[in-house]
Amino acid sequence: MSNITHVILSGGVGSRLWPLSRKSNPKQYLNLFKEGSLFGMTVLRNKALCEKVTVVGNCDNYQLSKEVLESQGVAYTDIIEATPRNTAAAIAFAAFAAEPDDILLVTPSDHVIVGEEAYAQAIEQGIEKAREGYIVTFGIQPTRPETGYGYIEFENDRVLSFREKPNQDTAEDFIEQGNFLWNSGMFCFRADTLLQELQQFEPKVYATALAAWQHQKDGKLDEHLSKKIPSISIDYAVMERSKKIRVVATEFEWSDLGSFEALYDYLLSTGYSVDEQGNMVLGSDMYTAFVGLKDTIVVCTDDALLFVQKEKSQDVKKIYNTLEKHQSKLID
């Protein structure tokens, strides 16, 4: 009988949450919340829904995953990427590690989800469609014209199109039309279904990922073979091309906490303090006063200070990219 395996993708660094998020301690492992880390919350959320766990991480953070999983008493399969090759390869590795008829529930490790019952219902719907041979994506009901997310145009459970992150006017059009969902980056499918579609549409990704997998040692992938894998997302590789795609329109509350604005909104909803002008301080208990500023976020770490207007928080990635270009230790 096939297993339902929770595949956790945990290779990202959360560059838009710098300086809190670093290569050595990405956002999914930060204990920012009463419930602990986003990674830990992801594991707990799916514990009752899946029989097995597979974590696809990288050589910089797999020990952090191990600490969380061992603290929760969860047995798991570890797949350690030697070098980032995007989500198509990461998901292929998990599929290679599974039995052909296993159902894989693929989720990022850094999302906040509120509404356990609605979440469980959505996952159950996805599993049923996956058993029928479909590749399922989970769409989120949009609550605002967000420009930081991709969108799914849909009719019933059929995907009409995937749309890239829109500008403000286009996002507002999507909301007005009413048949667009945010793309959550969560998927569900049989292992063999996904691999068949990947082999059809991206044979080079399939072949090079398989070669890297066949030479893995205790879940650790060879760097030389990994570098031969084209870096491409599962959206481009399969989701936007396959005829087997279905969508589950979910009812739970969701955020990818991909920016300080999203983090601000979530923390505010949990009672985190701000001043009368909506200014927030993260990472410090030092008395901080704001004069003439509104909706400003101050982020403090031992070696960096960030001041950012809430609505400009997507631009934090530019700072990270500049530091990375100059090989700064501030991102390590």
Side-chain angles (χ1 to χ4, degrees), residues 61-121:
N61 66 26
Y62 76 96
Q63 290 287 357
L64 298 173
S65 300
K66 181 180 179 181
E67 289 171 16
V68 175
L69 289 155
E70 287 185 347
S71 72
Q72 294 189 12
V74 176
Y76 70 103
T77 298
D78 210 358
I79 299 174
I80 303 165
E81 295 183 290
T83 184
R85 303 317 290 161
N86 217 315
T87 53
I91 290 171
F93 296 141
F96 290 136
E99 295 299 322
D101 62 347
D102 282 353
I103 303 294
L104 305 188
L105 171 63
V106 180
T107 76
S109 59
D110 56 358
H111 291 182
V112 165
I113 290 173
V114 178
E116 288 183 15
E117 187 175 336
Y119 179 78
Q121 289 174 353

Side-chain angles (χ1 to χ4, degrees), residues 20 70 114 213 218 236 247 250 258:
L20 291 181
E70 287 185 347
V114 178
W213 176 250
D218 298 322
Y236 285 126
V247 63
T250 66

Side-chain angles (χ1 to χ4, degrees), residues 270-283:
T270 65
Y272 198 95
S273 63
V274 296
D275 71 7
E276 62 274 10
Q277 295 300 317
N279 299 305
M280 179 182 285
V281 179
L282 298 172

Side-chain angles (χ1 to χ4, degrees), residues 4-191:
I4 300 170
T5 300
H6 179 204
V7 177
I8 307 175
L9 303 182
S10 192
V13 298
S15 57
R16 289 182 178 86
L17 288 187
W18 181 90
L20 291 181
S21 186
R22 309 288 181 103
K23 287 182 178 180
S24 61
N25 197 23
K27 70 170 182 176
Q28 60 266 35
Y29 303 106
L30 299 173
N31 288 310
L32 294 173
F33 315 100
K34 289 179 286 187
E35 304 90 339
S37 69
L38 293 171
F39 185 94
M41 291 157 66
T42 300
V43 176
L44 284 173
R45 183 185 308 128
N46 294 281
K47 211 171 184 179
L49 302 172
C50 303
E51 289 111 2
K52 299 173 71 176
V53 176
T54 295
V55 179
V56 186
N58 62 45
C59 53
D60 292 325
N61 66 26
Y62 76 96
Q63 290 287 357
L64 298 173
S65 300
K66 181 180 179 181
E67 289 171 16
V68 175
L69 289 155
E70 287 185 347
S71 72
Q72 294 189 12
V74 176
Y76 70 103
T77 298
D78 210 358
I79 299 174
I80 303 165
E81 295 183 290
T83 184
R85 303 317 290 161
N86 217 315
T87 53
I91 290 171
F93 296 141
F96 290 136
E99 295 299 322
D101 62 347
D102 282 353
I103 303 294
L104 305 188
L105 171 63
V106 180
T107 76
S109 59
D110 56 358
H111 291 182
V112 165
I113 290 173
V114 178
E116 288 183 15
E117 187 175 336
Y119 179 78
Q121 289 174 353
I123 299 306
E124 287 168 7
Q125 287 181 49
I127 290 169
E128 286 307 307
K129 291 180 188 295
R131 285 197 171 114
E132 295 169 9
Y134 294 115
I135 296 174
V136 181
T137 183
F138 296 87
I140 309 299
Q141 300 289 349
T143 57
R144 61 186 183 277
E146 173 63 53
T147 60
Y149 300 151
Y151 284 73
I152 300 168
E153 184 183 10
F154 76 107
E155 182 178 356
N156 298 318
D157 70 344
R158 293 183 178 272
V159 174
L160 302 180
S161 68
F162 288 91
R163 303 293 185 92
E164 293 297 309
K165 296 174 183 178
N167 59 32
Q168 188 66 34
D169 289 342
T170 303
E172 289 173 2
D173 287 343
F174 289 169
I175 301 300
E176 190 174 337
Q177 289 179 52
N179 67 325
F180 284 85
L181 303 165
W182 288 337
N183 188 347
S184 70
M186 295 168 48
F187 311 103
C188 188
F189 42 75
R190 278 177 53 126

